[in-house]
Amino acid sequence: MTDNTPRHMQSNVLNNLVESNVGSSRNAIKVDLVGKIVYDDPAVFRRLRVDEVDNNFVTTCAKSFKPANAEDINLLKALTKQASKKTPELLELEETNDKASDPNKEERSGNHGSAEEKKMYDPLVRLFNHITTFGQVTASRRFQRTRGMLKADEPHTFGFPSCSPDITITTSNPHGVDPSKSKLWRHRDGFGEVKPSKKQGPKPAIAGKIPPLLTQAADYARLFMSARPFMLFCVGILIFGTEFCVGIFDRDGITLSPIYDMFDNTEIFIRVVRSMACHLTINELGLDPTVRVLTDLETQNLTKSRQKYPSAVMTSVGNDPRRWCTIGPPIWMSLSFLGRGTNVWRVREYVEDVNQQPFLGRDEMILKTAWRSSSRTPESDIYMSITAPPEGLAKFECGGDVKFAGYPITVQNLRSYPVRNFLPKDDIDPPTPVLHRLVLRTVGRPMWEYKSDRDLLTGFRDALQAHKALCAQGILHRDISAGNVLLTKTENPTLRGFITDLEFARIDSPTLSKPQVTTTNTVGPVNRYGDRGNVLFRTQPTTRTHITFESTVTVKRGAGITGTAQFMARDILLQEISTTTERVVHKPGHDVESFIWVLSYCVMRNLYHRASEGSAPKEVHDQSPALRSVFRNVFSQTTTKTIAEVRQSGSSGLLFPRDRDVKDIVAKFMSNALVTLFKDLGGLLYIAANPFTSTSLTHDTLLEVVDKAIASLP
């Protein structure tokens, strides 16, 4: 079987495991956006319900708009006229130079831009708020100038770059938080981006080019949807000179409204701003309608904790009728704009007693939500098809495509009207992203949170053995990353580690056995008891079921391989920059190599965290910047070429234990067995890459050196 590996490395193979560089991320986004932008689509205004804004209000507001804001309007016109004398390239260069010369790097000084652009922010915000508050109405949202960075200081935003959109749309007093003081993305409902010249608009002067306005806006959109992981899409208003349009950003690209002038088409401008601030619900601005985010008080009462991150209750996990409540922030979060947008949570079942008072089930599980391609077999189907799941594979509970009001949530349905209750046919329609959700019984912790070298290596070995067992069944994972190789939550003596995420697994068989639930008999009501023996509630009559299997489900191959670039095998990375047409077939050995880079990543991240703590000895703490520099060199590259360059046997990701600049960290926190293992790993990669030897990288060769390291641990 051949494997049609894509030659272009997309930004969706990057994620929040690595520290993201804004410039390199935007370069990747720029490439991804080619062919993914829809211009002048009137459906955007339909989705914003602008025609539902009261006509009398629009007429009255329009009459007062120019007289009441004459000074700001004149200032904006003068600034845009001045900016029009410069080329778009010069204006962008001025923004770049402004950022480079700012000693505060936006921390306190606010946004960067040309001189004209920075003078536009305040008058624009006053125009927005004139419309939102006109008629003495208390708006549910406000347009605010963003003063300083929006910070990545929540547990699930590790690796997020701090950045500053020109304008953000905030909810009035969200969860008791003053939006003017909050620097968190999750306290925003949308954003605005400003450019001083009409020539900097979203339509390219040369076909196929992506203007900086759209690249910046897409970058903000990815951060927004990653920080608010239940947002299916987000809305941004784009200002360029005196013209504007609205963009809706989803996992398949950008849809832009027709372009209008704020002062020549004032009534349309009023309708857009008023609708976004006063009329649209948060679901109409992108929140998943199958999810209800709880208040802080509800969260504390339900979870019996004082966690600051709000819980959420979701209803749709395939055909399973249960509801699930998230516990704490996401434990994994994708940082891509296009693609899967994966988020992973700890959850417990959400139940109501006889008095309809909610409580949580006893068992904690893992819930994963991601956008799958309609051209690929659903991940839940793959899990259900495995006849003999290895011990080190996450245990499947339930899963399926997310539906609302009977319709699947797809990008196609979000964009179109009326919606369709069926997915595109592969041979007729182009594929569309489909929201998919599954629950796993196996609860894990990131491997970089290992408690000892034995905890790390035994868990790593268990996961590697599970991968070997899947390969024996004709299932190749193809997305081995630090987010998919986990340690068990507790140090179980029989199992320490496991793998998860089979979304991109390749199945050798052309069909798979998918379980179907079949009703057999009726069961009467049953009392459910609490810990104290009291009756909590009485169940409704239901039916018992048993599982039958059908073998007629065709495996959908979909796109070629993808995965997380920072952990891909070097052969696969090199073909992305090769000028030849020969395709590299993804083999088990490539995944085995990915396991090596996962181990390197997790050890380096663990060491850096321990070395940078205040309790670390001074000589160790002083070396943490050097280790951070090595880590960034190995795992923060964002292009195929630069990643491939550091994926060699002589990579500092494997040689760092011998680096004099971090010797005290290594001596303090790494056992001799682990140091020796890294030397052995470099040797394995060297031998496998040597064209004069026939030794390939296999599960057994890697297991051999790992077992040797475990045996030599004290």
Side-chain angles (χ1 to χ4, degrees):
M1 174 179 294
T2 59
D3 189 359
N4 296 321
T5 306
R7 302 187 64 79
H8 165 55
M9 186 72 69
Q10 295 182 315
S11 65
N12 61 10
V13 301
L14 306 175
N15 53 53
N16 72 314
L17 284 170
V18 299
E19 294 182 279
S20 177
N21 176 274
V22 173
S24 56
S25 297
R26 289 181 180 174
N27 287 335
I29 290 171
K30 184 185 299 183
V31 175
D32 289 351
L33 285 177
V34 175
K36 291 291 185 178
I37 303 170
V38 178
Y39 295 95
D40 297 322
D41 190 345
V44 172
F45 287 158
R46 174 185 57 75
R47 293 173 66 178
L48 296 181
R49 298 197 290 122
V50 298
D51 287 341
E52 297 180 30
V53 179
D54 183 75
N55 291 332
N56 290 331
F57 167 83
V58 173
T59 301
T60 305
C61 183
K63 287 181 179 179
S64 71
F65 183 75
K66 292 181 180 178
N69 300 283
E71 184 176 347
D72 284 335
I73 292 173
N74 290 334
L75 174 58
L76 289 170
K77 288 182 176 180
L79 291 171
T80 58
K81 182 178 180 180
Q82 182 176 331
S84 68
K85 299 176 183 179
K86 302 177 182 178
T87 65
E89 293 76 16
L90 179 58
L91 291 167
E92 295 298 332
L93 179 61
E94 288 182 7
E95 180 173 338
T96 301
N97 292 339
D98 182 49
K99 182 175 183 178
S101 62
D102 181 1
N104 294 318
K105 303 302 180 187
E106 287 181 335
E107 292 288 341
R108 295 180 299 276
S109 57
N111 310 76
H112 294 130
S114 65
E116 295 86 358
E117 178 183 326
K118 292 194 291 185
K119 293 176 182 178
M120 292 177 66
Y121 303 145
D122 288 333
L124 279 172
V125 168
R126 288 193 289 268
L127 295 185
F128 288 137
N129 290 326
H130 172 88
I131 297 170
T132 60
T133 60
F134 186 80
Q136 298 182 340
V137 172
T138 301
S140 56
R141 298 180 187 87
R142 293 182 59 195
F143 289 79
Q144 291 187 328
R145 174 180 175 178
T146 311
R147 298 184 182 276
M149 290 280 198
L150 294 186
K151 297 293 187 64
D153 56 2
E154 295 189 280
H156 68 295
T157 58
F158 175 84
F160 279 36
S162 295
C163 59
S164 182
D166 299 329
I167 295 169
T168 56
I169 304 169
T170 60
T171 301
S172 299
N173 197 29
H175 303 288
V177 176
D178 182 352
S180 65
K181 297 180 180 179
S182 171
K183 298 297 182 183
L184 300 181
W185 277 101
R186 63 183 170 96
H187 294 147
R188 270 70 186 168
D189 286 351
F191 65 90
E193 181 63 15
V194 178
K195 296 293 183 183
S197 172
K198 295 180 182 180
K199 292 181 287 188
Q200 294 175 284
K203 293 185 177 180
I206 302 174
K209 297 289 186 179
I210 306 298
L213 173 64
L214 291 185
T215 305
Q216 286 181 250
D219 192 26
Y220 298 143
R222 76 180 177 105
L223 296 173
F224 175 85
M225 290 190 288
S226 297
R228 296 195 62 176
F230 295 119
M231 298 298 285
L232 305 179
F233 59 87
C234 68
V235 179
I237 186 165
L238 310 180
I239 307 290
F240 35 99
T242 60
E243 294 182 336
F244 77 97
C245 69
V246 178
I248 297 183
F249 302 77
D250 58 41
R251 295 299 181 180
D252 203 29
I254 307 173
T255 307
L256 297 170
S257 74
I259 294 172
Y260 291 97
D261 190 282
M262 292 183 288
F263 309 129
D264 293 338
N265 309 103
T266 303
E267 292 194 356
I268 296 176
F269 182 60
I270 290 172
R271 287 181 182 276
V272 168
V273 173
R274 184 74 171 193
S275 185
M276 293 178 67
C278 302
H279 292 184
L280 296 179
T281 67
I282 188 58
N283 298 110
E284 290 168 319
L285 285 174
L287 182 68
D288 184 343
T290 69
V291 173
R292 181 173 72 89
V293 180
L294 305 182
T295 65
D296 290 346
L297 181 59
E298 287 177 310
T299 298
Q300 292 171 11
N301 290 339
L302 196 58
T303 62
K304 310 302 180 186
S305 69
R306 295 193 174 275
Q307 65 181 44
K308 295 182 179 180
Y309 196 89
S311 290
V313 176
M314 58 195 74
T315 58
S316 179
V317 182
N319 294 321
D320 192 280
R322 289 174 289 179
R323 290 178 289 176
W324 302 90
C325 180
T326 62
I327 308 298
I331 58 176
W332 169 258
M333 192 64 247
S334 170
L335 194 51
S336 63
F337 171 45
L338 305 182
R340 293 183 286 171
T342 306
N343 53 82
V344 181
W345 307 79
R346 292 185 175 91
V347 296
R348 291 162 67 185
E349 187 180 355
Y350 180 89
V351 190
E352 292 181 347
D353 62 19
V354 290
N355 298 316
Q356 295 186 325
Q357 293 300 308
F359 66 97
L360 298 182
R362 185 186 304 272
D363 296 332
E364 187 173 284
M365 300 190 191
I366 294 296
L367 182 142
K368 171 188 171 183
T369 300
W371 292 90
R372 73 173 182 88
S373 171
S374 61
S375 66
R376 294 194 62 85
T377 299
E379 184 179 3
S380 56
D381 286 4
I382 298 175
Y383 270 105
M384 290 188 287
S385 74
I386 301 173
T387 55
E391 183 68 17
L393 175 66
K395 302 301 182 289
F396 178 79
E397 176 73 14
C398 62
D401 293 338
V402 180
K403 295 183 178 180
F404 178 68
Y407 295 92
I409 294 180
T410 68
V411 168
Q412 184 183 69
N413 279 345
L414 291 173
R415 291 184 178 186
S416 62
Y417 182 85
V419 296
R420 296 195 272 182
N421 61 1
F422 56 88
L423 298 182
K425 295 182 179 180
D426 295 344
D427 56 346
I428 299 176
D429 302 313
T432 184
V434 183
L435 195 63
H436 192 75
R437 198 171 278 156
L438 68 158
V439 177
L440 303 172
R441 292 194 297 275
T442 310
V443 179
R445 54 194 163 99
M447 198 165 71
W448 60 80
E449 293 181 1
Y450 62 88
K451 300 174 183 177
S452 66
D453 287 358
R454 184 175 297 277
D455 181 34
L456 166 72
L457 295 181
T458 53
F460 180 79
R461 178 184 60 187
D462 288 346
L464 182 60
Q465 288 177 327
H467 186 275
K468 179 182 178 181
L470 283 179
C471 289
Q473 297 185 46
I475 300 173
L476 181 60
H477 192 287
R478 302 198 308 168
D479 189 17
I480 295 299
S481 74
N484 297 334
V485 181
L486 304 174
L487 301 176
T488 51
K489 187 176 181 182
T490 57
E491 294 188 59
N492 187 318
T494 60
L495 180 68
R496 297 287 183 89
F498 63 97
I499 56 175
T500 185
D501 194 351
L502 298 180
E503 181 177 358
F504 285 98
R506 188 185 69 199
I507 305 171
D508 285 345
S509 172
T511 62
L512 53 79
S513 296
K514 176 184 174 183
Q516 281 190 320
V517 178
T518 305
T519 301
T520 55
N521 62 294
T522 302
V523 179
V526 178
N527 289 336
R528 289 289 179 89
Y529 299 92
D531 294 338
R532 300 179 182 179
N534 57 310
V535 177
L536 295 176
F537 62 99
R538 188 171 176 82
T539 65
Q540 297 294 320
T542 185
T543 55
R544 288 195 186 278
T545 61
H546 71 274
I547 297 178
T548 60
F549 291 84
E550 60 179 8
S551 299
T552 58
V553 180
T554 301
V555 174
K556 296 182 179 181
R557 305 297 178 189
I561 73 159
T562 184
T564 307
Q566 288 81 7
F567 306 105
M568 282 183 178
R570 189 166 188 262
D571 280 352
I572 295 175
L573 292 167
L574 288 176
Q575 78 145 15
E576 299 294 331
I577 56 178
S578 173
T579 58
T580 67
T581 58
E582 184 179 355
R583 317 306 295 157
V584 173
V585 178
H586 197 131
K587 298 178 180 179
H590 294 124
D591 275 10
V592 173
E593 182 179 334
S594 293
F595 269 99
I596 292 177
W597 298 117
V598 166
L599 183 65
S600 171
Y601 172 92
C602 292
V603 170
M604 294 179 73
R605 181 164 175 175
N606 178 281
L607 296 182
Y608 173 73
H609 174 73
R610 292 158 74 182
S612 59
E613 288 182 330
S615 58
K618 183 179 184 304
E619 65 275 11
V620 170
H621 189 276
D622 289 347
Q623 290 183 354
S624 61
L627 181 60
R628 181 187 182 95
S629 177
V630 176
F631 176 82
R632 294 183 66 179
N633 177 62
V634 179
F635 292 106
S636 291
Q637 306 297 333
T638 56
T639 68
T640 307
K641 181 179 180 180
T642 54
I643 295 172
E645 287 173 350
V646 294
R647 291 294 175 270
Q648 303 180 55
S649 58
S651 167
S652 54
L654 299 177
L655 296 180
F656 78 88
R658 289 177 273 174
D659 189 334
R660 293 182 57 83
D661 291 337
V662 298
K663 62 182 179 62
D664 292 325
I665 296 177
V666 172
K668 178 69 176 176
F669 298 124
M670 288 184 74
S671 64
N672 290 334
L674 188 56
V675 171
T676 301
L677 174 60
F678 270 72
K679 181 179 179 181
D680 291 341
L681 295 177
L684 289 180
L685 290 180
Y686 176 80
I687 294 172
N690 190 336
F692 300 105
T693 65
S694 58
T695 305
S696 59
L697 196 58
T698 67
H699 293 96
D700 290 338
T701 56
L702 181 54
L703 284 168
E704 182 181 351
V705 296
V706 172
D707 285 338
K708 185 183 77 170
I710 294 173
S712 62
L713 286 171

